[in-house]
């Protein structure tokens, strides 16, 4: 089992999402920021780091942990992910759409993203079970 974090960044009734610009929607869909928890890294720190790395933005804060889910990402990778889902807030001005890239600590080729906001009622389009706890945003 692999520990992961997912970040629901909500602002003015919209959810921050991204798409990989080097891959088709059929391959990777629309996603929220998230990724692997490093050894010894607190979950909250991992969520904030992943949000910064994938969006290129700063000014994130943890609002609350929404819960945990397991997801089998096979056949992409034969891996069960234990996902820790957080709601984050973002301060400061932010564009409606922008380009970003994750550098992967220089260990592999950067990943290019297009970040944008979608209305929360449309967030059901998230890929690979990433929307599993969206309903908790309304509690």
């Amino acid at each position: 089992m692999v520990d992961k974090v997912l970040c629901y960044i909500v602002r003015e009734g919209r959810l921050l999402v991204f798409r990989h610009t080097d891959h088709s929607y059929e391959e990777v869909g629309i996603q929220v920021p998230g990724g692997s928890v490093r050894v010894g890294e607190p979950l909250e720190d991992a969520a904030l780091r992943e949000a910064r790395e994938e969006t290129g933005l700063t000014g994130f804060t943890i609002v609350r942990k929404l819960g945990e889910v397991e997801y089998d990402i096979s056949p992409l990778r034969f891996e069960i992910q234990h996902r820790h889902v957080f709601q984050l807030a973002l301060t400061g001005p932010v564009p409606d759409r922008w380009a970003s890239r994750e550098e992967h600590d220089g260990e592999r080729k950067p990943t290019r993203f297009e970040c944008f906001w979608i209305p929360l009622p449309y967030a059901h389009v998230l890929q690979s079970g990433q929307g599993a706890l969206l309903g908790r945003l309304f509690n």
Side-chain angles (χ1 to χ4, degrees):
M1 185 125 12
V2 179
D3 277 314
K4 300 280 187 173
V5 293
L6 290 180
C7 305
Y8 294 165
I9 303 160
V10 180
R11 189 174 196 172
E12 299 173 1
R14 299 183 302 164
L15 180 69
L16 179 57
V17 297
F18 67 84
R19 70 178 190 89
H20 290 258
T21 57
D22 294 327
H23 302 280
S24 71
Y25 284 109
E26 293 84 1
E27 291 177 87
V28 294
I30 294 175
Q31 302 178 40
V32 294
S36 297
V37 178
R38 295 175 177 163
V39 175
E41 183 178 33
L43 297 171
E44 293 83 358
D45 292 352
L48 294 169
R49 175 183 51 77
E50 287 291 345
R52 287 189 306 267
E53 286 178 356
E54 294 186 351
T55 67
L57 302 175
T58 58
F60 293 104
T61 57
I62 301 286
V63 175
R64 61 187 167 144
K65 184 173 182 179
L66 296 170
E68 300 174 21
V69 295
E70 288 184 6
Y71 186 80
D72 183 347
I73 198 158
S74 304
L76 177 65
R77 286 187 307 274
F78 292 98
E79 163 182 296
I80 305 293
Q81 297 181 348
H82 184 176
R83 295 175 172 180
H84 305 268
V85 184
F86 290 89
Q87 179 182 357
L88 275 60
L90 177 60
T91 58
V94 181
D96 285 333
R97 191 173 289 267
W98 67 97
S100 181
R101 59 191 259 164
E102 184 174 7
E103 299 294 332
H104 303 290
D105 299 326
E107 295 177 5
R108 59 184 166 135
K109 183 179 173 184
T111 303
R112 298 184 315 145
F113 303 120
E114 178 186 27
C115 300
F116 54 100
W117 300 89
I118 62 172
L120 271 174
Y122 300 160
H124 66 278
V125 301
L126 293 173
Q127 66 94 28
S128 297
Q130 289 190 351
L133 298 181
L134 283 170
R136 294 189 180 175
L137 291 172
F138 299 94
N139 294 342

